[in-house]
Amino acid sequence: QVDLVESGGGLVQAGGSLRLSCAASGSIDRINGMAWYRQAPGKQRELVAVISSGGTTNYADSVKGRFTISRDDAKNTVYLQMNSLKPEDTAVYVCNQKVVITRYEFSYWGQGTQVTVSA
């Protein structure tokens, strides 16, 4: 059993910053890819950023240059530093981690954390 616990969401004014964290705990051999998704009301879930086990990152065009994804493998944690936030960044942010247990990879999701950006 693996649990993902997110933290760091909240209310911020446009132009402000927030840092999200997502920590995995349980019987983990290692973690491959880690990612952040978001879902705004009435919209489909979209991939925001992803980081591979080797540290390669990719971002949605809408957040490039403003958001930074990083990972700390010693803590089984993925972060999302969000700067220059815009009202259109308002959404529930959910982390995903590809966890390897006894040679098999499983996909786990966090519970989601609300990010609200006021104009």
Side-chain angles (χ1 to χ4, degrees):
Q1 179 66 30
V2 173
D3 293 315
L4 268 57
V5 177
E6 300 180 24
S7 60
L11 173 64
V12 64
Q13 289 188 331
S17 298
L18 284 173
R19 188 191 193 209
L20 306 183
S21 300
C22 172
S25 62
S27 300
I28 299 169
D29 290 341
R30 70 178 188 277
I31 301 175
N32 289 336
M34 299 178 174
W36 287 95
Y37 291 76
R38 68 185 180 186
Q39 187 164 17
K43 295 187 177 181
Q44 290 187 332
R45 178 175 290 186
E46 66 169 336
L47 177 64
V48 176
V50 60
I51 184 168
S52 71
S53 58
T56 300
T57 59
N58 279 291
Y59 298 91
D61 288 342
S62 58
V63 307
K64 281 181 181 176
R66 299 188 299 122
F67 290 11
T68 301
I69 188 171
S70 61
R71 60 190 288 164
D72 184 339
D73 289 329
K75 297 180 179 179
N76 293 330
T77 299
V78 59
Y79 304 96
L80 186 67
Q81 178 67 44
M82 304 184 293
N83 299 328
S84 302
L85 282 162
K86 304 175 181 179
E88 51 263 44
D89 293 319
T90 295
V92 174
Y93 285 71
V94 185
C95 67
N96 175 264
Q97 296 195 24
K98 300 292 193 289
V99 178
V100 176
I101 303 171
T102 61
R103 298 180 299 167
Y104 294 97
E105 183 181 275
F106 300 89
S107 181
Y108 288 94
W109 295 88
Q111 80 279 11
T113 186
Q114 178 70 47
V115 170
T116 303
V117 184
S118 63

